[in-house]
């Protein structure tokens, strides 16, 4: 590991932390006032740990396994989901002639989305790791529940009326969804 390749992220935190992202990037999270020499000292002290973690990420990638997401990764995905999914839901709700109450973004281990009887929509932040057409499908799927609170033929006809190729997204989720869901160790 070359220390010059470490990304230093300074913030109003009190303590330092080292993060290895699923992509194999080393991020040193430092307080605003921490001197560069202290960052270098800590990185040198933790070099063996960093090298082990980087090796594990490379092995997982080579074996087709994705590393678990860190809390920081999940927070970033949730932030991204809050920017992307509500406008998408608003646009498709208008197109479908439905309303909803509020939207909540969570990190869930088994569901991509849900719709309550009160019209509250819930979406999984891990959707941000899926293609845009899959994100759209999940939004339309949950909005279709505003007309049909089941998975009846009428429900699927509603989804198909809006997204004729929705089955491609269903297949994508069946093939890839489990791998994405398994990357979430903790809820945010």
């Amino acid at each position: 590991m070359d220390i010059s390749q470490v990304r230093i992220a300074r913030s109003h935190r009190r303590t330092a932390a080292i993060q290895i992202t699923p992509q194999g990037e080393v991020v040193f999270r430092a307080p605003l006032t921490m001197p560069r020499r202290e960052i270098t000292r800590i990185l040198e002290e933790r070099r063996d740990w960093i090298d082990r973690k980087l090796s594990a990420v490379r092995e997982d990638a080579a074996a087709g396994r994705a590393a678990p997401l860190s809390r920081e990764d999940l927070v970033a995905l949730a932030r991204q989901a809050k920017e992307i999914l509500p406008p998408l839901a608003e646009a498709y709700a208008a197109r479908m002639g439905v309303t909803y109450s509020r939207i909540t973004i969570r990190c869930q281990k088994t569901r991509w989305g849900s719709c309550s009887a009160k019209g509250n929509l819930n979406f999984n932040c891990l959707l941000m790791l899926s293609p845009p057409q899959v994100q759209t499908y999940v939004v339309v799927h949950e909005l279709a529940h505003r007309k049909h609170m089941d998975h009846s033929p009428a429900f699927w006809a509603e989804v198909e009326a809006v997204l004729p190729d929705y089955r491609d997204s269903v297949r994508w989720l069946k093939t890839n969804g489990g791998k994405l869901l398994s990357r979430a160790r903790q809820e945010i």
Side-chain angles (χ1 to χ4, degrees):
M1 179 210 62
D2 182 3
I3 292 176
S4 67
Q5 296 177 337
V6 174
R7 180 165 60 93
I8 298 173
R10 293 185 180 271
S11 66
H12 291 285
R13 62 184 301 131
R14 292 181 185 191
T15 59
I18 301 171
Q19 174 191 6
I20 311 298
T21 70
Q23 296 76 30
E25 179 185 24
V26 179
V27 181
F28 190 96
R29 301 191 179 282
L32 290 173
T33 58
M34 181 176 274
R36 179 81 177 182
R37 67 183 176 283
E38 180 68 5
I39 293 170
T40 302
R41 184 192 66 74
I42 293 170
L43 286 168
E44 286 294 339
E45 189 176 277
R46 301 288 297 176
R47 182 181 288 273
D48 289 344
W49 178 86
I50 293 167
D51 289 341
R52 280 195 313 274
K53 290 293 185 181
L54 287 172
S55 291
V57 167
R58 283 191 289 275
E59 286 173 21
D60 283 345
R65 297 182 306 262
L69 295 165
S70 70
R71 182 164 183 77
E72 288 86 2
D73 293 328
L74 294 173
V75 168
L77 288 172
R79 193 175 306 121
Q80 185 181 6
K82 287 176 184 174
E83 292 173 10
I84 292 172
L85 298 178
L88 199 58
E90 186 177 338
Y92 277 95
R95 183 172 165 186
M96 296 168 71
V98 297
T99 61
Y100 56 89
S101 295
R102 71 173 195 265
I103 294 177
T104 304
I105 306 294
R106 292 191 176 101
C107 179
Q108 297 177 295
K109 295 180 178 99
T110 59
R111 291 181 167 201
W112 295 109
S114 62
C115 175
S116 74
K118 293 181 179 179
N120 295 322
L121 303 178
N122 181 54
F123 297 108
N124 193 329
C125 70
L126 296 173
L127 276 172
M128 296 299 96
L129 299 174
S130 72
Q133 67 268 18
V134 173
Q135 297 166 19
T136 300
Y137 160 70
V138 172
V139 168
V140 168
H141 180 111
E142 299 313 329
L143 289 170
H145 282 308
R146 296 297 292 134
K147 291 186 176 181
H148 307 280
M149 286 299 287
D150 55 24
H151 289 112
S152 65
F155 167 86
W156 290 110
E158 182 69 32
V159 173
E160 188 169 30
V162 179
L163 297 174
D165 60 348
Y166 80 90
R167 287 176 187 85
D168 293 340
S169 294
V170 171
R171 273 191 292 279
W172 191 95
L173 284 171
K174 283 186 179 179
T175 302
N176 303 290
K179 293 176 215 161
L180 294 183
L181 291 171
S182 70
R183 294 183 68 190
R185 276 195 194 161
Q186 56 196 330
E187 295 199 18
I188 55 175

